[in-house]
Amino acid sequence: MRVARLSNGRSRGSSNGRRDMFSICGRQKRHTVAALTILFLVLLESQHAGSVSAVESDEQQTVAIYTKTVRATVFLSSSFTTGLVSGKSMGTGFIIDESGTVVTNAHVVGGARDISAQLYGGEKSKVEIVGVDHYTDVAVLKLKGFTGKLSTVDLGSSEKLRIGQRTFVIGNPYGLGFGLSAGILSGLDRMPSSVNFTEPRIALLQTTAPVNPGDSGGPLLNSDGKVIGVTTSMLEGTQNIGFAIPINLVKDIVLELKTAGRVRRPWLGVAGKFITEEIRDLFVLPLTDGMLIETVVPDSPATEAGLRAGTIDVVVSGQPWMMGGDILTAVRGMRVSTVQDFLAVLKELEIGQTIDIEFIRKRERLKTLLTVQERPQIPYRQFLRPMETPHQGRTALKRNP
């Protein structure tokens, strides 16, 4: 009986022990789940806080860029007269030194009879034109009679830019007041297909930051708040495709304008578009690459050389072409198959130099001599057709007034 009681006692004790052990394990599991839940919530909250912190930091950086740069930005208003027509133009500029040197677009101030500048703080100043370069659409101005201390921008570099970098445009859209738009650098070395002297024929930066009338001549900034370009135009009929002149080129132009008041460039006096496969097949053109000459400027080297422009105005895929003219194929022995080829050849020419050019006329290959002249310093408005305005040019590029 004692054995039985002992045995029964042990059995009861063992059963209670197992129940206690299960109870302990259950509590441990609940505690573990609770701890993991708390840890998960803490990590989630930490991640959320980090995300919020990153957003706040990003916003603070953008605000800081605007706050610093806008003080060195000016709103430009100019009046001009072309023939019997009078009008006004507005744009933006930015101060590059404490003496009051301002950089803007040539089309904002070119041909203006009166220009005034308004600083961010509301102060107004008269403006003197130091120099204008219509080819690159860069102008240098000088604030006159302003006695206060001037803020200046930080000039960066456009040499090692990458698509995808953040960009900011500071300007005065539609004259509503100073403002900022943001985007990314969406293209490098952008260049419209036609070649003439009424629009800039330089490799431009492309940005998704909205560019509106009144922003022209304003700074294009990187995420460090440094100027990497000068806002110049937008692509008509599109959204968020704006262009800016690379700041490294602007620096060179500014130096020449401050030194000599103008930039001297070699000039041939022709304008046109480069032949595409579609155009060649459609109009059964000779199997050659080159510039289909659409315009020969009067009293230019091209006129003296006897080059002929097209006379038949057609539209192909929405783009205007002037057919029937000579096809320029080589300059000084160098083939010109693209816009880039043509510009590279121009850089090697010297004013006053006599060179040979090759072209095709009515399927016959010809060669003649041409004497290079200096590109005329002529405002682009003088070359607009009677019904064209700065908003409605022949090319797809749209300058902002």
Side-chain angles (χ1 to χ4, degrees), residues 199-273:
E199 296 287 345
R201 283 298 161 257
I202 55 176
L204 301 172
L205 305 178
Q206 180 180 309
T207 178
T208 63
V211 177
N212 295 290
D215 289 332
S216 285
L220 179 72
L221 308 163
N222 61 14
S223 55
D224 292 328
K226 294 185 177 181
V227 181
I228 57 173
V230 180
T231 306
T232 182
S233 57
M234 59 190 293
L235 194 60
E236 192 170 14
T238 64
Q239 292 183 350
N240 299 346
I241 299 182
F243 297 97
I245 310 158
I247 196 61
N248 286 9
L249 173 61
V250 174
K251 292 175 185 177
D252 293 337
I253 300 300
V254 169
L255 181 60
E256 291 194 55
L257 291 179
K258 291 179 70 174
T259 302
R262 65 175 182 173
V263 180
R264 300 184 77 234
R265 292 188 180 85
W267 182 57
L268 303 184
V270 293
K273 292 189 179 73

Side-chain angles (χ1 to χ4, degrees), residues 24 65 121 147 175 237 334 353 363:
I24 291 171
I65 289 173
T147 57
M334 292 181 281
Q353 178 184 19
R363 299 186 178 278

